[in-house]
Amino acid sequence: MLVYLTHWFTKRERSKANTLLILGNPITMMSVSVISGFLIDYFDGHRVMGLRGGQMMFVLEDCRRSRGGGLVVMADDRPEKPAG
């Protein structure tokens, strides 16, 4: 992510962008832990493809991450001239 920030923001704006990136991590972890707990509880009672709660949680969360990574790679909207 830091590499992308160097392409998208000028040197002056980069510190604010880095701050938002770092502050977003705890907020993300709080929301993901709640979602993960729900998935584990739900799929412990409802097996899909023979997978238990924790196993199904990893399958669903990895699908989401893989799509997000693919979108970032496909976007590649670097400016013609790097931020200065």
Side-chain angles (χ1 to χ4, degrees):
M1 282 303 296
L2 292 176
V3 173
Y4 283 113
L5 292 178
T6 61
H7 294 298
W8 291 334
F9 297 101
T10 62
K11 209 176 238 185
R12 187 177 184 127
E13 297 170 327
R14 209 170 296 147
S15 63
K16 291 178 186 176
N18 284 340
T19 302
L20 290 175
L21 179 67
I22 291 169
L23 287 176
N25 191 33
I27 295 168
T28 302
M29 292 306 295
M30 285 187 288
S31 64
V32 168
S33 63
V34 171
I35 293 169
S36 297
F38 170 76
L39 290 174
I40 290 172
D41 286 342
Y42 180 78
F43 286 111
D44 269 342
H46 304 86
R47 287 191 176 204
V48 177
M49 298 182 294
L51 300 176
R52 286 183 269 155
Q55 296 167 330
M56 197 63 197
M57 177 202 64
F58 283 119
V59 168
L60 292 175
E61 289 188 355
D62 287 340
C63 288
R64 181 179 51 95
R65 286 187 190 105
S66 298
R67 278 194 324 245
L71 290 175
V72 168
V73 169
M74 288 176 7
D76 193 24
D77 61 346
R78 286 182 279 169
E80 296 296 322
K81 193 170 156 184

XYZ file of all heavy atoms in Angstrom:
658
model
N 0.820 -1.184 0.000
C 0.000 0.000 0.000
C 0.868 1.253 0.000
O 0.499 2.235 -0.627
C -0.920 -0.004 1.220
C -2.124 -0.901 1.107
S -3.202 -0.589 -0.290
C -3.793 1.026 0.034
N 1.947 1.214 0.723
C 2.794 2.404 0.771
C 3.364 2.754 -0.597
O 3.541 3.927 -0.922
C 3.922 2.219 1.796
C 3.455 2.163 3.249
C 4.636 1.873 4.164
C 2.776 3.440 3.662
N 3.621 1.748 -1.415
C 4.116 2.013 -2.770
C 3.052 2.745 -3.574
O 3.344 3.717 -4.277
C 4.526 0.702 -3.466
C 4.864 0.940 -4.920
C 5.710 0.083 -2.750
N 1.803 2.311 -3.463
C 0.732 2.992 -4.176
C 0.559 4.421 -3.686
O 0.270 5.326 -4.461
C -0.580 2.227 -4.053
C -0.643 1.019 -4.940
C -0.665 -0.259 -4.415
C -0.655 1.162 -6.321
C -0.714 -1.364 -5.229
C -0.705 0.064 -7.160
C -0.726 -1.193 -6.600
O -0.768 -2.280 -7.418
N 0.719 4.638 -2.388
C 0.593 5.992 -1.862
C 1.647 6.922 -2.449
O 1.388 8.102 -2.676
C 0.691 5.988 -0.330
C -0.467 5.330 0.408
C -0.210 5.349 1.905
C -1.785 5.984 0.089
N 2.834 6.402 -2.723
C 3.869 7.252 -3.321
C 3.515 7.630 -4.749
O 3.943 8.683 -5.230
C 5.244 6.560 -3.307
O 5.164 5.357 -4.074
C 5.703 6.252 -1.904
N 2.734 6.814 -5.426
C 2.329 7.133 -6.798
C 1.128 8.078 -6.842
O 1.005 8.868 -7.766
C 1.973 5.859 -7.571
C 3.130 4.955 -7.809
N 4.230 5.318 -8.554
C 3.364 3.690 -7.384
C 5.088 4.319 -8.592
N 4.582 3.312 -7.883
N 0.247 7.976 -5.853
C -1.009 8.710 -5.905
C -0.956 10.072 -5.241
O -1.749 10.944 -5.562
C -2.117 7.902 -5.252
C -2.517 6.676 -6.011
C -2.401 6.469 -7.352
C -3.106 5.499 -5.481
N -2.866 5.242 -7.687
C -3.311 4.613 -6.566
C -3.484 5.101 -4.210
C -3.880 3.363 -6.402
C -4.043 3.855 -4.055
C -4.238 2.999 -5.143
N -0.070 10.257 -4.254
C -0.057 11.493 -3.475
C 1.277 12.213 -3.611
O 2.318 11.588 -3.765
C -0.316 11.201 -1.987
C -1.668 10.617 -1.716
C -1.823 9.262 -1.501
C -2.786 11.429 -1.682
C -3.074 8.723 -1.255
C -4.033 10.896 -1.441
C -4.179 9.539 -1.220
N 1.218 13.526 -3.484
C 2.457 14.313 -3.469
C 3.140 14.117 -2.126
O 2.558 13.578 -1.178
C 2.153 15.804 -3.681
O 1.346 16.261 -2.597
C 1.456 16.049 -5.004
N 4.368 14.588 -2.035
C 5.124 14.412 -0.795
C 4.409 15.062 0.384
O 4.394 14.532 1.488
C 6.507 15.045 -0.976
C 7.586 14.415 -0.166
C 8.911 15.044 -0.497
C 9.835 13.967 -0.964
N 11.186 14.463 -1.188
N 3.806 16.204 0.144
C 3.112 16.929 1.206
C 1.853 16.176 1.686
O 1.556 16.142 2.872
C 2.748 18.309 0.696
C 2.197 19.204 1.728
C 1.936 20.567 1.137
N 1.494 21.433 2.187
C 2.034 22.585 2.464
N 3.022 23.043 1.749
N 1.568 23.311 3.452
N 1.127 15.574 0.773
C -0.108 14.859 1.114
C 0.159 13.461 1.646
O -0.704 12.855 2.273
C -0.995 14.749 -0.123
C -1.479 16.055 -0.676
C -2.128 15.894 -2.019
O -1.700 15.010 -2.797
O -3.053 16.662 -2.315
N 1.339 12.933 1.405
C 1.650 11.544 1.747
C 1.585 11.277 3.240
O 1.169 10.204 3.676
C 3.031 11.189 1.216
C 3.168 9.743 0.898
C 4.447 9.432 0.161
N 4.460 10.097 -1.136
C 5.548 10.546 -1.727
N 6.718 10.400 -1.174
N 5.475 11.133 -2.895
N 1.978 12.236 4.074
C 1.948 12.001 5.526
C 0.518 11.819 6.023
O 0.246 10.966 6.869
C 2.635 13.137 6.268
O 1.939 14.352 6.063
N -0.418 12.601 5.481
C -1.821 12.430 5.871
C -2.353 11.075 5.406
O -3.076 10.400 6.129
C -2.667 13.546 5.266
C -2.400 14.899 5.865
C -3.241 15.957 5.192
C -2.872 17.335 5.697
N -3.607 18.389 4.992
N -1.980 10.689 4.203
C -2.436 9.399 3.676
C -1.861 8.245 4.505
O -2.570 7.277 4.805
C -2.033 9.256 2.215
N -0.594 8.328 4.882
C 0.015 7.292 5.729
C -0.682 7.208 7.074
O -0.909 6.120 7.605
C 1.505 7.560 5.935
C 2.325 7.208 4.734
O 1.906 6.447 3.882
N 3.505 7.783 4.654
N -1.042 8.359 7.640
C -1.727 8.381 8.933
C -3.075 7.684 8.835
O -3.431 6.871 9.694
C -1.918 9.837 9.404
O -0.637 10.457 9.498
C -2.606 9.884 10.743
N -3.836 7.992 7.788
C -5.139 7.343 7.623
C -4.995 5.842 7.408
O -5.793 5.047 7.910
C -5.892 7.971 6.456
C -6.393 9.392 6.690
C -7.020 9.949 5.424
C -7.376 9.434 7.843
N -3.958 5.436 6.678
C -3.719 4.013 6.454
C -3.418 3.305 7.775
O -3.964 2.235 8.057
C -2.555 3.822 5.480
C -2.163 2.393 5.160
C -3.264 1.703 4.376
C -0.863 2.364 4.388
N -2.587 3.906 8.598
C -2.208 3.288 9.877
C -3.383 3.292 10.854
O -3.606 2.321 11.574
C -0.975 4.003 10.461
C 0.239 3.697 9.576
C -0.720 3.577 11.895
C 1.456 4.538 9.880
N -4.163 4.371 10.891
C -5.311 4.431 11.798
C -6.447 3.510 11.353
O -7.263 3.090 12.172
C -5.834 5.866 11.894
C -4.974 6.828 12.691
C -5.554 8.228 12.633
C -4.835 6.370 14.130
N -6.506 3.193 10.074
C -7.556 2.315 9.583
C -7.382 0.871 10.019
O -8.354 0.115 10.079
N -6.158 0.470 10.352
C -5.902 -0.924 10.722
C -6.668 -1.359 11.976
O -7.324 -2.405 11.944
C -4.404 -1.155 10.868
C -4.073 -2.613 10.985
O -4.743 -3.451 10.403
N -3.033 -2.924 11.731
N -6.624 -0.620 13.091
C -7.387 -1.080 14.266
C -8.893 -1.121 14.024
O -9.583 -2.028 14.497
C -7.056 -0.053 15.347
C -5.874 0.672 14.877
C -5.813 0.542 13.406
N -9.399 -0.163 13.264
C -10.834 -0.144 12.973
C -11.208 -1.369 12.141
O -12.220 -2.023 12.393
C -11.206 1.167 12.252
C -10.970 2.346 13.193
C -12.651 1.137 11.771
C -11.014 3.692 12.527
N -10.386 -1.686 11.172
C -10.630 -2.864 10.340
C -10.591 -4.139 11.169
O -11.444 -5.020 11.014
C -9.585 -2.934 9.219
O -9.656 -1.738 8.456
C -9.810 -4.127 8.327
N -9.622 -4.247 12.055
C -9.498 -5.457 12.875
C -10.700 -5.647 13.786
O -11.147 -6.773 14.005
C -8.210 -5.415 13.706
C -6.954 -5.509 12.866
S -6.911 -6.938 11.768
C -6.863 -8.268 12.939
N -11.246 -4.547 14.311
C -12.429 -4.674 15.173
C -13.631 -5.185 14.380
O -14.364 -6.049 14.856
C -12.762 -3.326 15.821
C -11.831 -2.955 16.937
S -12.332 -1.476 17.821
C -11.969 -0.206 16.623
N -13.833 -4.660 13.182
C -14.999 -5.095 12.405
C -14.813 -6.517 11.888
O -15.760 -7.304 11.880
C -15.260 -4.130 11.251
O -14.183 -4.137 10.351
N -13.613 -6.879 11.459
C -13.370 -8.216 10.925
C -13.504 -9.280 12.009
O -14.011 -10.369 11.750
C -11.985 -8.285 10.244
C -11.575 -9.701 9.929
C -12.005 -7.453 8.969
N -13.099 -8.957 13.243
C -13.213 -9.957 14.303
C -14.673 -10.269 14.617
O -15.026 -11.417 14.893
C -12.474 -9.503 15.561
O -13.061 -8.330 16.084
N -15.538 -9.268 14.531
C -16.965 -9.504 14.758
C -17.544 -10.369 13.639
O -18.283 -11.323 13.883
C -17.727 -8.156 14.855
C -19.222 -8.375 14.872
C -17.282 -7.398 16.087
N -17.195 -10.049 12.406
C -17.691 -10.817 11.258
C -17.175 -12.256 11.307
O -17.922 -13.205 11.068
C -17.286 -10.130 9.934
C -18.014 -8.791 9.815
C -17.581 -11.020 8.741
C -17.501 -7.915 8.698
N -15.904 -12.419 11.667
C -15.330 -13.765 11.757
C -16.028 -14.587 12.831
O -16.314 -15.773 12.633
C -13.834 -13.683 12.054
O -13.156 -13.039 11.007
N -16.292 -13.982 13.968
C -17.000 -14.685 15.036
C -18.386 -15.131 14.604
O -18.809 -16.256 14.903
N -19.092 -14.258 13.884
C -20.419 -14.625 13.378
C -20.322 -15.797 12.404
O -21.118 -16.731 12.458
C -21.080 -13.424 12.691
C -22.327 -13.795 11.957
C -23.502 -14.048 12.645
C -22.322 -13.926 10.575
C -24.658 -14.410 11.965
C -23.465 -14.289 9.896
C -24.639 -14.531 10.596
N -19.364 -15.741 11.490
C -19.218 -16.822 10.506
C -18.908 -18.155 11.174
O -19.454 -19.194 10.788
C -18.127 -16.475 9.491
C -18.454 -15.356 8.505
C -17.235 -15.024 7.666
C -19.618 -15.735 7.630
N -18.031 -18.138 12.172
C -17.690 -19.380 12.874
C -18.916 -19.956 13.565
O -19.216 -21.146 13.466
C -16.546 -19.147 13.877
C -15.246 -18.894 13.118
C -16.393 -20.326 14.820
C -14.094 -18.476 13.997
N -19.659 -19.095 14.273
C -20.863 -19.580 14.967
C -21.905 -20.113 13.998
O -22.511 -21.155 14.229
C -21.480 -18.456 15.809
C -20.683 -18.172 17.063
O -19.878 -19.040 17.467
O -20.865 -17.083 17.639
N -22.123 -19.396 12.909
C -23.147 -19.802 11.953
C -22.793 -21.125 11.286
O -23.617 -22.030 11.202
C -23.346 -18.716 10.892
C -24.394 -19.083 9.871
C -25.754 -18.970 10.179
C -24.044 -19.577 8.630
C -26.722 -19.325 9.261
C -25.012 -19.939 7.701
C -26.344 -19.805 8.025
O -27.307 -20.179 7.120
N -21.558 -21.235 10.801
C -21.195 -22.433 10.048
C -20.852 -23.624 10.935
O -20.652 -24.723 10.428
C -20.069 -22.130 9.057
C -20.543 -21.350 7.865
C -20.160 -20.039 7.685
C -21.394 -21.933 6.947
C -20.610 -19.317 6.597
C -21.854 -21.217 5.858
C -21.463 -19.905 5.685
N -20.775 -23.436 12.248
C -20.663 -24.602 13.126
C -21.976 -25.383 13.122
O -21.980 -26.602 13.227
C -20.314 -24.178 14.557
C -18.821 -24.146 14.792
O -18.079 -24.764 13.999
O -18.387 -23.508 15.758
N -23.090 -24.681 12.961
C -24.393 -25.338 12.928
C -24.846 -25.706 11.528
O -25.710 -26.558 11.355
N -24.316 -25.062 10.528
C -24.729 -25.285 9.135
C -23.497 -25.626 8.308
O -22.816 -24.737 7.810
C -25.388 -24.032 8.547
C -26.547 -23.535 9.321
N -26.419 -22.669 10.394
C -27.873 -23.775 9.187
C -27.598 -22.392 10.874
N -28.512 -23.055 10.159
N -23.223 -26.891 8.163
C -22.040 -27.287 7.391
C -22.295 -27.129 5.897
O -23.357 -27.448 5.392
C -21.663 -28.722 7.688
C -21.054 -28.882 9.039
C -20.452 -30.236 9.182
N -19.784 -30.306 10.471
C -18.820 -31.129 10.732
N -18.402 -31.972 9.817
N -18.256 -31.138 11.911
N -21.290 -26.623 5.209
C -21.335 -26.466 3.754
C -20.117 -27.185 3.203
O -18.990 -26.932 3.638
C -21.300 -24.972 3.356
C -21.272 -24.822 1.850
C -22.490 -24.241 3.947
N -20.319 -28.087 2.247
C -19.239 -28.870 1.645
C -18.414 -29.625 2.693
O -17.220 -29.827 2.527
C -18.308 -27.970 0.816
C -19.000 -27.282 -0.344
S -17.898 -26.282 -1.355
C -17.415 -25.001 -0.221
N -19.033 -29.954 3.807
C -18.357 -30.711 4.849
C -17.383 -29.886 5.687
O -16.634 -30.441 6.487
N -17.376 -28.568 5.512
C -16.456 -27.713 6.258
C -17.111 -27.215 7.540
O -18.291 -26.887 7.564
C -16.026 -26.516 5.397
C -15.303 -26.851 4.101
C -15.037 -25.588 3.312
C -13.998 -27.577 4.386
N -16.324 -27.158 8.604
C -16.812 -26.638 9.878
C -16.665 -25.127 9.925
O -16.204 -24.507 8.972
C -16.046 -27.283 11.025
C -16.485 -28.727 11.245
C -15.788 -29.320 12.411
N -14.571 -29.958 11.858
C -13.481 -30.184 12.540
N -13.387 -29.846 13.781
N -12.459 -30.763 11.974
N -17.028 -24.509 11.030
C -17.079 -23.058 11.175
C -15.812 -22.316 10.800
O -15.810 -21.432 9.946
N -14.693 -22.677 11.430
C -13.438 -21.981 11.169
C -12.935 -22.203 9.757
O -12.375 -21.296 9.126
N -13.145 -23.389 9.241
C -12.700 -23.687 7.877
C -13.496 -22.878 6.852
O -12.932 -22.317 5.914
C -12.861 -25.185 7.599
C -11.984 -26.043 8.478
C -12.368 -27.509 8.429
O -13.537 -27.843 8.216
N -11.390 -28.374 8.629
N -14.792 -22.791 7.056
C -15.632 -22.028 6.129
C -15.340 -20.534 6.234
O -15.385 -19.821 5.238
C -17.104 -22.320 6.421
C -18.013 -21.939 5.320
S -17.649 -22.914 3.851
C -18.478 -21.939 2.638
N -15.014 -20.061 7.436
C -14.660 -18.653 7.610
C -13.453 -18.312 6.755
O -13.433 -17.286 6.071
C -14.360 -18.353 9.078
C -13.916 -16.927 9.303
S -12.970 -16.666 10.809
C -11.521 -17.629 10.526
N -12.427 -19.160 6.769
C -11.237 -18.898 5.973
C -11.549 -18.902 4.477
O -11.035 -18.071 3.735
C -10.135 -19.907 6.285
C -9.430 -19.630 7.573
C -9.448 -20.558 8.582
C -8.756 -18.441 7.769
C -8.804 -20.321 9.778
C -8.106 -18.185 8.959
C -8.128 -19.119 9.965
N -12.399 -19.805 4.031
C -12.762 -19.857 2.614
C -13.449 -18.552 2.203
O -13.083 -17.927 1.206
C -13.673 -21.073 2.321
C -14.283 -20.971 0.939
C -12.899 -22.362 2.482
N -14.445 -18.121 2.973
C -15.198 -16.913 2.615
C -14.339 -15.654 2.697
O -14.413 -14.786 1.826
C -16.422 -16.780 3.521
C -17.497 -17.832 3.312
C -18.597 -17.670 4.346
C -18.064 -17.743 1.915
N -13.525 -15.533 3.727
C -12.704 -14.327 3.863
C -11.589 -14.291 2.826
O -11.229 -13.214 2.347
C -12.155 -14.220 5.276
C -13.251 -13.873 6.266
C -12.728 -13.575 7.648
O -11.511 -13.726 7.885
O -13.544 -13.181 8.498
N -11.050 -15.443 2.444
C -10.015 -15.450 1.414
C -10.570 -15.114 0.041
O -9.896 -14.493 -0.772
C -9.283 -16.790 1.383
C -8.363 -16.955 2.585
O -8.017 -15.933 3.197
O -8.008 -18.097 2.895
N -11.809 -15.516 -0.239
C -12.440 -15.138 -1.514
C -12.550 -13.620 -1.612
O -12.276 -13.033 -2.655
C -13.820 -15.760 -1.631
S -13.792 -17.528 -1.919
N -12.932 -12.984 -0.531
C -13.071 -11.526 -0.509
C -11.722 -10.853 -0.736
O -11.596 -9.917 -1.522
C -13.669 -11.098 0.836
C -13.899 -9.623 0.981
C -14.508 -9.297 2.334
N -13.792 -9.865 3.442
C -12.864 -9.217 4.144
N -12.533 -8.009 3.821
N -12.259 -9.806 5.150
N -10.688 -11.341 -0.069
C -9.348 -10.752 -0.221
C -8.803 -10.956 -1.624
O -8.150 -10.077 -2.173
C -8.406 -11.363 0.799
C -8.660 -10.854 2.189
C -7.590 -11.347 3.146
N -7.993 -11.050 4.505
C -8.455 -11.942 5.361
N -8.555 -13.200 4.996
N -8.797 -11.589 6.571
N -9.052 -12.107 -2.196
C -8.557 -12.377 -3.546
C -9.202 -11.443 -4.567
O -8.529 -10.938 -5.467
C -8.840 -13.821 -3.938
O -8.166 -14.696 -3.076
N -10.486 -11.206 -4.419
C -11.160 -10.258 -5.322
C -10.586 -8.860 -5.159
O -10.353 -8.157 -6.141
C -12.657 -10.221 -5.034
C -13.435 -11.312 -5.668
C -14.926 -11.007 -5.615
N -15.306 -10.321 -4.394
C -16.096 -10.808 -3.450
N -16.592 -12.011 -3.592
N -16.393 -10.110 -2.387
N -10.365 -8.435 -3.915
C -9.809 -7.101 -3.675
C -8.418 -6.952 -4.257
O -8.091 -5.936 -4.869
N -7.596 -7.974 -4.108
C -6.249 -7.933 -4.683
C -6.278 -7.887 -6.193
O -5.501 -7.175 -6.828
N -7.195 -8.629 -6.794
C -7.329 -8.603 -8.249
C -7.757 -7.239 -8.758
O -7.275 -6.768 -9.788
N -8.640 -6.579 -8.023
C -9.070 -5.241 -8.430
C -7.927 -4.239 -8.369
O -7.800 -3.380 -9.231
C -10.234 -4.773 -7.550
C -11.557 -5.493 -7.757
C -12.586 -5.019 -6.745
C -12.062 -5.268 -9.160
N -7.091 -4.344 -7.337
C -5.955 -3.429 -7.216
C -4.979 -3.639 -8.361
O -4.485 -2.687 -8.956
C -5.247 -3.611 -5.850
C -3.919 -2.892 -5.822
C -6.141 -3.126 -4.736
N -4.724 -4.886 -8.704
C -3.792 -5.171 -9.803
C -4.368 -4.692 -11.126
O -3.652 -4.121 -11.948
C -3.481 -6.692 -9.850
C -2.746 -7.048 -11.117
C -2.677 -7.090 -8.629
N -5.657 -4.875 -11.329
C -6.271 -4.462 -12.586
C -6.395 -2.946 -12.686
O -6.351 -2.396 -13.782
C -7.647 -5.106 -12.743
C -7.557 -6.576 -13.028
S -9.113 -7.496 -13.135
C -10.400 -6.339 -13.052
N -6.541 -2.250 -11.568
C -6.730 -0.801 -11.593
C -5.478 -0.114 -12.136
O -5.542 0.624 -13.109
C -7.056 -0.289 -10.200
N -4.348 -0.340 -11.526
C -3.061 0.198 -11.956
C -3.214 1.572 -12.626
O -2.847 1.768 -13.773
C -2.372 -0.780 -12.904
C -0.901 -0.409 -13.120
O -0.333 0.267 -12.242
O -0.351 -0.795 -14.159
N -3.772 2.508 -11.897
C -4.011 3.833 -12.459
C -2.944 4.831 -12.012
O -3.238 5.915 -11.541
C -5.403 4.325 -12.094
C -5.594 4.456 -10.595
O -4.760 3.928 -9.854
O -6.572 5.086 -10.178
N -1.695 4.455 -12.196
C -0.611 5.364 -11.840
C -0.635 6.573 -12.757
O -0.904 6.466 -13.955
C 0.743 4.667 -11.964
C 0.980 3.689 -10.836
C 2.318 3.088 -10.971
N 2.181 2.016 -11.959
C 3.191 1.387 -12.509
N 4.408 1.714 -12.219
N 2.990 0.430 -13.381
N -0.330 7.736 -12.216
C -0.245 8.905 -13.075
C 0.948 8.803 -14.019
O 1.895 8.061 -13.783
C -0.076 10.058 -12.087
C 0.412 9.443 -10.838
C -0.077 8.020 -10.837
N 0.883 9.559 -15.117
C 1.983 9.538 -16.088
C 3.286 10.013 -15.450
O 4.350 9.488 -15.706
C 1.637 10.440 -17.281
C 0.438 9.947 -18.067
C 0.698 8.607 -18.700
O 1.825 8.365 -19.173
O -0.235 7.791 -18.725
N 3.182 10.997 -14.591
C 4.346 11.570 -13.937
C 4.226 11.318 -12.437
O 3.203 11.634 -11.847
C 4.364 13.067 -14.220
C 5.622 13.760 -13.896
C 5.540 15.172 -14.458
C 6.465 16.071 -13.705
N 6.345 17.445 -14.151
N 5.229 10.712 -11.791
C 5.121 10.437 -10.359
C 4.933 11.710 -9.541
O 5.368 12.778 -9.949
C 6.458 9.780 -10.002
C 7.045 9.342 -11.291
C 6.476 10.234 -12.356
N 4.231 11.566 -8.415
C 4.005 12.715 -7.530
C 5.342 13.231 -7.027
O 6.253 12.462 -6.726
C 3.114 12.317 -6.373
N 5.453 14.517 -6.917
C 6.738 15.099 -6.620
C 6.911 15.572 -5.280
O 7.755 15.894 -4.637
